[in-house]
Amino acid sequence: LTIATGPSGGTYIQIARDIQKVAQKDGIKVEILATQGSFDNMVLLGDRKVDLAIAQIDALGFFAKVMKPQGINVFETIKVILNLYPEEIHVLTNNSAINSFLQLQNKRVSFGPKNGGSALTGEALLEAYGMKVENFYLDPKDALEGLRKNQLDAMIFVAGAPVPLFKNLGSGFRFVDLPRDDALDKIYERKTLDRTLYDWTIPTETYSVPSVLMGRDTKDQLYVQNIQKLILSI
């Protein structure tokens, strides 16, 4: 079974390696494919180039919306087969004047790699709040450097907290509050980033999105049996 994951330094690839180790004990061979992230994974899964994909649940909704005009019902072919863990939406700034996401109107914001999960969630936030920003699509490490050099006003990174990249940021950095929104409440769970996760932060209201393991809906009995074995293994 081949699993589409995400960039080589991300959480998805680590989760996939853990799945690979567990599956190996039960004689199930799992191959890991590094990708750009959630949207790429949906495409690969839909094109039958991989057997499984790790993605944020909101990415599935976004992918379905993109494919609908082409007459493709994504929900008929792609199914969630296992919930993994919640991923927090981190919006980070080092500008002391910015406390709320709404203050990022027309500001310079990095969304992570294009078509990655963070970028898709970032677009959902802009749509829900009716905002426009100057979009950048930098790797999280480069975005952090951009903040330090005042080339950016904020960065969005969706990942399971605590994120190692944000562990020892020191003074000057802060997370940005995401105001409560009815449309977002339908997709995401409310979450507080606090000192139990990052010892330097003040409590900040945000949302979290579930990450899931997805597979294909198929009548291929061998595929179905292998997936069942893998789920029992995990």
Side-chain angles (χ1 to χ4, degrees), residues 5-223:
T5 59
S8 55
T11 315
Y12 288 173
I13 210 155
Q14 293 171 45
I15 293 281
R17 285 184 190 126
D18 288 343
I19 289 171
Q20 187 183 47
K21 276 182 207 156
V22 166
Q24 213 165 17
K25 292 176 189 168
D26 292 329
I28 304 159
K29 193 180 175 197
V30 171
E31 288 182 9
I32 295 167
L33 180 69
T35 67
Q36 284 295 306
S38 291
F39 190 83
D40 273 9
N41 295 355
M42 301 285 94
V43 174
L44 290 165
L45 192 57
D47 288 347
R48 297 176 173 269
K49 290 180 179 168
V50 295
D51 301 303
L52 295 159
I54 299 175
Q56 293 162 208
I57 197 79
D58 58 346
L60 179 60
F62 183 85
F63 186 59
K65 203 167 25 171
V66 168
M67 299 308 286
K68 201 174 180 180
Q70 297 174 44
I72 296 167
N73 183 352
V74 166
F75 299 117
E76 283 178 358
T77 53
I78 295 177
K79 299 289 181 190
V80 173
I81 60 172
L82 191 69
N83 279 316
L84 294 175
Y85 60 95
E87 297 189 84
E88 286 75 16
I89 303 174
H90 299 75
V91 183
L92 184 74
T93 186
N94 57 349
N95 182 336
S96 59
I98 297 171
N99 299 299
S100 165
F101 191 83
L102 302 178
Q103 292 172 298
L104 293 175
Q105 181 77 5
N106 300 322
K107 296 280 197 291
R108 302 162 300 174
V109 182
S110 176
F111 287 73
K114 212 173 179 60
N115 290 339
S118 296
L120 298 184
T121 300
E123 290 298 335
L125 295 179
L126 293 180
E127 197 176 312
Y129 296 127
M131 290 173 57
K132 281 195 166 66
V133 299
E134 194 181 336
N135 299 41
F136 292 81
Y137 297 97
L138 304 174
D139 178 88
K141 283 179 187 164
D142 294 335
L144 196 56
E145 199 53 35
L147 283 175
R148 287 197 169 107
K149 290 177 177 172
N150 294 321
Q151 293 163 347
L152 290 173
D153 298 295
M155 66 179 282
I156 296 172
F157 190 38
V158 183
V163 176
L165 186 65
F166 299 153
K167 284 288 269 187
N168 302 305
L169 285 181
S171 63
F173 284 95
R174 61 169 63 202
F175 291 123
V176 171
D177 273 308
L178 296 185
R180 192 148 211 158
D181 177 86
D182 287 345
L184 296 175
D185 281 343
K186 289 175 186 165
I187 315 170
Y188 308 113
E189 294 283 326
R190 286 303 272 178
K191 182 73 190 262
T192 304
L193 298 174
D194 57 25
R195 285 178 186 268
T196 63
L197 296 168
Y198 302 98
D199 59 13
W200 52 268
T201 191
I202 56 167
T204 308
E205 292 295 309
T206 187
Y207 283 101
S208 68
V209 53
S211 62
V212 294
L213 186 63
M214 296 183 189
R216 289 196 304 273
D217 192 7
T218 173
K219 292 183 172 60
D220 178 346
Q221 284 307 303
L222 182 61
Y223 175 83

